[in-house]
Amino acid sequence: MIDYPRHNRDGWQRWVPSWRLVSGLCIAFFGCLVGAAGLAYAMVSIPIVDDSATAQNNVYYWADNTQMVATGGDRNRQSVNLSQIPKEMRNAVISQENKTFYSDSGIDPKGIARAVFNMAKGGETQGGSTITQQYVKNAMLNDQSQTISRKVKEIFVSIKVGTDVSKDDILEGYLNSAYYGRGAYGIQAAARAYFNVDAVDLNPGQCAFLSAMLKGATYYDPAGSVSVDPVGATPAANKKRAHSQMQDTLDKMVEYGHLSQTERAKYTDLPTTQNPQSNAKLGGQIGYLVRLAQASVLKSGAVTEQQLEKGGYSIYTTFDKKKVNELEKAVKKVYKEKIDPKKRPETDTHVQFGGASVDTQTGAIKAIYGGEDATKHFTNNADVTGAQVGSTFKPFVLAAAMKWGVRDPDLGEVQAQDERTVVSPKSLYSGKNNLKINNYDGSIWENEEGKQWRQENDGQDDVGDPPDYKIDLREAMRESVNSAFVQLGMDVGLDKVKEAAVDAGLLEDSLAGSGYPSFSIGVSDPSAIRMAGAYATFADSGKQREPYSVTKVTNKDGPIYTHKVEEKQAFTAKVADNVTDVLKTVVEKGTGTNAQLPGREVAGKTGTTDGNKSAWFVGYTPQMSTAISMYRYPDDETIKNRTFLEMYGTGGEKKIHGASFPSTIWQDYMSDAMKGMEVEKFPKPEPIGEVINDTPSPTPTPSPSPSASETEEASPSPTPSPSNTQTSPSPPAPTNTCGVFELDCDDGGNAGNGNGGNGPGGSEGSESPSPTSSETGEEGDDSGNSRGNTIWGANG
């Protein structure tokens, strides 16, 4: 029957098959395929939808393994009949996803071939699925893996469903099982989640919008997503994508005859969506804790956002229930006793606090204060604020000076980077107000417009003894002297200051203005969580650990994720312990005395920004580090161009400092939080570095007939003449004659009218131009808004 090799041929012709043989083999091959397909089709049954499409709860646990809250996808699922789904919703999905839905067999052969080819190359399936296939995948198949065998199974089930189930039932099932984001499964839950209406009441624009959510709410929800890098899923980027997709859907609805051009013209803008709402279980601080834990789980990559929303996971957090309650109680106490919007509407409205507490030994986040209520105030103030940290940034400048040292002004720029002098806390710097700031080599700092810089102190006070006003760095930290730390940062190098902040644990994208002298006094806006974590690095002798909120995640099959604490030595123990020793002085007899804990050692720093728009206190014991922020920012999204408001007069205080309400909250909370914990002491620091600038600044040598100006500088009279107080010695000195160690040197130049100069961080009252758009930062919040943060100067 098979004549091969061919018996009646010779040579090479024996090995050429006949046309009969080739035809027979082809017919047999395709016959087998058809037979196998028929057998497979006959053996396939339609899975039961309810067995695989019912969402479960996720259960969140406190650090002591007691249950915090059970919440999950089933609360956001409610099936409706096709008659309750607007025609516009059905047509929007058909127009965008599968225009031949009512006429095809349930599969798209070209799309299948493309998907199989892509998987064969090692990629994921991309497009090509009909509505029937998507319905089968979402509601009938438990196996969501992207493999050829699963795809083949999906194809046969889809053909079976397309043959045995009516198109209306398939469409109804698909719209009721699809995931729309925000924990909403099905069109009814989606209508409520985004617009707070029933599905039957959706208008064509809303229908087109919700069809866009089926593309993946992570990148289309106008509120943004916590599950990916903010650059990819910010509210602004998501709004742009959602608007484009929505408009494309409406255009296709017109093209395919599902919508009139007149009706389509009514929907040119994105519909207004409500903020992501939580159920009553997620009120108070619980909602902030759950969101933070969710973000941590998603960041780990252990589960996807859609898998997490479907539920079935046990999530064990680091949150200490007692400490969370104590932190909230401490904040509410200040609100109740000091903040009165009815009595002082101009100063006490929109007052907000944020807070975070981190274990110094592990990085575990023990408590946060995210805002008044997670179902009313949607931004987590512990994680995202945009509020500048002010002088709480100064410890990073000191750490950089003790890690790398200051540069030698007598060396070239390249050599000076390598040959440095490590700084001792006993080093002397000028505490003079309105101090002209130099580069490390003694030249006067100028910005890109050629403007010079003078740095003001909080209260515009000279600190130190005249005539040179030198103080050591410990004293400068204790009194939060801006001028000393701005010049120290210039001598070390702002690049090294930035590196020290990142090494301690701050995120680089939260650091702003690193090209300006004011960078050293806190024009950046890291979160309270990150500030608490960075100070914890100093508390544990330089060991840095990432703050984290989830210890493990399990499901019915067992553990799927366990957090591993990783540490790195960001600073030597000598550097970190000396920073701690200096910060102890701040609490013992400086600006942070309100934060003292009787019987315990505390190190910390106050921070207040120029314009009095934010205030901080960040402090730590050997076991726990806590950051508290305070600012005024409108919570009303209807207010356009929202910005931070001044706090002069807030709470009946003339001015809000980190030493006031933030340190009061810190002390009140930590007093309770530390109860029952062993009393520990910080390590005794080893001596470090050299004393810089210990030589007195030179004074002019008197001549037999001194000029008035020389007499004024050498020995100021009790009542100086107004005409001579700002007069330079004659003859005037060249522009760049001030050396790096001549701290009180004044070359007679006018630096911004004696105020902030030009650029970020100019002191309050500066007459310099406003920062350009490139000097303005924006940070989004999770309610779909962005906060414009002009970089202002920071005070004590």
Side-chain angles (χ1 to χ4, degrees), residues 352-635:
Q352 298 189 36
F353 293 94
S357 197
V358 171
D359 187 316
T360 61
Q361 307 297 313
T362 64
I365 302 171
K366 308 306 290 183
I368 63 169
Y369 179 82
E372 177 187 2
D373 189 310
T375 62
K376 300 175 182 178
H377 171 76
F378 302 102
T379 301
N380 186 344
N381 292 350
D383 197 28
V384 177
T385 64
Q388 295 177 345
V389 296
S391 291
T392 57
F393 197 81
K394 288 172 182 174
F396 306 122
V397 185
L398 181 61
M402 292 193 293
K403 180 175 181 178
W404 289 286
V406 297
R407 294 168 287 184
D408 189 334
D410 296 326
L411 300 177
E413 183 174 352
V414 175
Q415 190 177 0
Q417 292 291 340
D418 298 325
E419 299 187 25
R420 294 168 171 264
T421 303
V422 173
V423 171
S424 163
K426 297 179 180 179
S427 296
L428 303 177
Y429 271 80
S430 176
K432 185 176 177 61
N433 181 55
N434 212 24
L435 181 70
K436 184 173 295 182
I437 301 302
N438 295 335
N439 293 304
Y440 82 95
D441 60 3
S443 61
I444 298 173
W445 184 89
E446 294 181 349
N447 68 3
E448 61 274 8
E449 298 178 1
K451 300 294 180 64
Q452 298 174 1
W453 188 280
R454 284 184 185 270
Q455 181 60 53
E456 289 185 351
N457 292 325
D458 187 27
Q460 302 188 23
D461 295 324
D462 293 325
V463 183
D465 297 325
D468 54 13
Y469 295 98
K470 283 185 179 179
I471 54 173
D472 65 34
L473 293 177
R474 182 184 298 273
E475 176 76 1
M477 187 74 77
R478 183 175 76 85
E479 295 298 328
S480 199
V481 181
N482 290 339
S483 55
F485 279 94
V486 169
Q487 186 59 61
L488 176 62
M490 297 300 290
D491 292 350
V492 174
L494 298 180
D495 59 330
K496 294 298 184 185
V497 174
K498 181 177 180 179
E499 188 174 344
V502 173
D503 287 347
L506 300 188
L507 297 177
E508 187 170 358
D509 60 10
S510 71
L511 303 179
S514 59
Y516 294 88
S518 62
F519 178 66
S520 295
I521 51 174
V523 296
S524 300
D525 56 7
S527 68
I529 292 173
R530 283 288 167 177
M531 286 299 289
Y535 272 48
T537 301
F538 297 131
D540 197 26
S541 297
K543 297 182 182 69
Q544 191 271 331
R545 305 172 187 86
E546 287 292 293
Y548 70 100
S549 59
V550 173
T551 58
K552 66 178 179 178
V553 179
T554 65
N555 62 9
K556 61 183 178 61
D557 298 321
I560 60 173
Y561 168 74
T562 301
H563 177 79
K564 294 182 180 179
V565 176
E566 297 180 358
E567 68 179 45
K568 65 178 182 180
Q569 195 71 40
F571 307 101
T572 64
K574 182 184 289 189
V575 170
D577 293 344
N578 271 278
V579 172
T580 294
D581 193 57
V582 170
L583 295 182
K584 280 175 58 181
T585 310
V586 175
V587 177
E588 289 170 356
K589 51 183 178 180
T591 59
T593 54
N594 282 347
Q596 292 177 359
L597 299 176
R600 293 186 183 272
E601 289 190 348
V602 176
K605 185 70 188 76
T606 55
T608 309
T609 57
D610 210 3
N612 207 209
K613 294 180 179 177
S614 62
W616 289 71
F617 183 80
V618 188
Y620 54 94
T621 65
Q623 298 105 313
M624 195 155 59
S625 176
T626 300
I628 304 294
S629 64
M630 177 182 179
Y631 51 92
R632 290 180 64 216
Y633 187 81
D635 214 17

Side-chain angles (χ1 to χ4, degrees), residues 266-282:
K266 298 178 181 178
Y267 307 104
T268 57
D269 297 321
L270 271 179
T272 301
T273 59
Q274 62 182 356
N275 277 294
Q277 296 288 330
S278 302
N279 62 20
K281 297 178 183 178
L282 302 181

Side-chain angles (χ1 to χ4, degrees), residues 93-94 97-98 101 129-135 170-171 174:
V93 174
I94 291 172
E97 301 288 337
N98 184 192
F101 169 70
S129 294
T130 63
I131 287 176
T132 303
Q133 285 177 268
Q134 293 181 57
Y135 170 55
I170 293 172
L171 185 59
Y174 172 64

Side-chain angles (χ1 to χ4, degrees), residues 18-350:
S18 67
W19 67 269
R20 293 183 182 86
L21 179 60
V22 172
S23 300
L25 290 174
C26 288
I27 292 172
F29 176 76
F30 285 110
C32 289
L33 285 181
V34 171
L39 181 63
Y41 177 81
M43 295 178 65
V44 165
S45 61
I46 299 176
I48 300 174
V49 173
D50 290 341
D51 288 345
S52 56
T54 303
Q56 306 174 62
N57 280 329
N58 292 317
V59 181
Y60 293 82
Y61 295 91
W62 294 103
D64 62 0
N65 292 338
T66 59
Q67 183 172 315
M68 178 196 303
V69 64
T71 180
D74 58 354
R75 75 187 189 281
N76 284 331
R77 180 182 175 87
Q78 183 182 2
S79 296
V80 292
N81 295 326
L82 191 65
S83 60
Q84 296 174 282
I85 302 175
K87 288 183 179 179
E88 290 84 355
M89 186 66 211
R90 301 178 232 167
N91 291 329
V93 174
I94 291 172
S95 298
Q96 188 60 253
E97 301 288 337
N98 184 192
K99 67 179 181 180
T100 61
F101 169 70
Y102 275 102
S103 61
D104 64 34
S105 62
I107 62 171
D108 176 8
K110 292 182 179 179
I112 292 171
R114 182 169 61 250
V116 171
F117 178 72
N118 188 57
M119 283 189 294
K121 293 192 303 179
E124 297 180 352
T125 57
Q126 295 178 356
S129 294
T130 63
I131 287 176
T132 303
Q133 285 177 268
Q134 293 181 57
Y135 170 55
V136 167
K137 181 177 67 174
N138 291 341
M140 296 181 174
L141 297 181
N142 290 320
D143 182 8
Q144 297 293 311
S145 62
Q146 299 290 349
T147 62
I148 292 178
S149 61
R150 194 212 58 83
K151 192 69 178 178
V152 170
K153 182 178 181 181
E154 175 190 308
I155 291 170
F156 281 105
V157 173
S158 297
I159 296 173
K160 191 82 170 182
V161 170
T163 302
D164 296 348
V165 181
S166 73
K167 291 291 186 177
D168 282 351
D169 287 344
I170 293 172
L171 185 59
E172 176 185 309
Y174 172 64
L175 292 174
N176 276 317
S177 63
Y179 179 64
Y180 296 80
R182 300 192 180 186
Y185 286 85
I187 185 62
Q188 172 65 17
R192 282 290 175 186
Y194 288 94
F195 306 113
N196 198 29
V197 299
D198 289 324
V200 70
D201 296 321
L202 293 169
N203 65 42
Q206 293 170 331
C207 291
F209 170 88
L210 289 177
S211 74
M213 295 304 104
L214 295 173
K215 293 287 186 181
T218 296
Y219 289 98
Y220 288 87
D221 187 340
S225 173
V226 300
S227 66
V228 295
D229 187 282
V231 174
T234 60
N238 281 15
K239 285 179 181 178
K240 184 176 180 180
R241 277 189 288 264
H243 181 266
S244 176
Q245 185 71 17
M246 170 189 165
Q247 296 303 308
D248 182 67
T249 298
L250 289 168
D251 289 339
K252 287 180 178 177
M253 291 172 70
V254 173
E255 179 183 350
Y256 302 144
H258 300 311
L259 190 68
S260 70
Q261 185 62 55
T262 302
E263 186 70 4
R264 187 262 177 271
K266 298 178 181 178
Y267 307 104
T268 57
D269 297 321
L270 271 179
T272 301
T273 59
Q274 62 182 356
N275 277 294
Q277 296 288 330
S278 302
N279 62 20
K281 297 178 183 178
L282 302 181
Q285 299 304 302
I286 299 298
Y288 301 120
L289 299 173
V290 167
R291 256 186 263 162
L292 194 61
Q294 284 178 341
S296 180
V297 172
L298 294 171
K299 185 179 179 181
S300 74
V303 297
T304 66
E305 185 174 18
Q306 186 168 347
Q307 289 172 332
L308 187 65
E309 289 290 356
K310 283 187 175 180
Y313 297 95
S314 296
I315 300 167
Y316 296 83
T317 74
T318 61
F319 307 129
D320 185 310
K321 182 177 182 180
K322 180 172 177 287
K323 289 179 173 57
V324 170
N325 291 337
E326 287 165 347
L327 182 53
E328 182 178 34
K329 184 176 70 173
V331 174
K332 285 185 174 180
K333 182 178 179 182
V334 168
Y335 270 125
K336 182 178 180 180
E337 296 179 357
K338 299 294 184 180
I339 309 301
D340 192 343
K342 293 182 179 179
K343 182 178 180 181
R344 293 179 294 270
E346 296 299 318
T347 61
D348 284 20
T349 55
H350 311 306

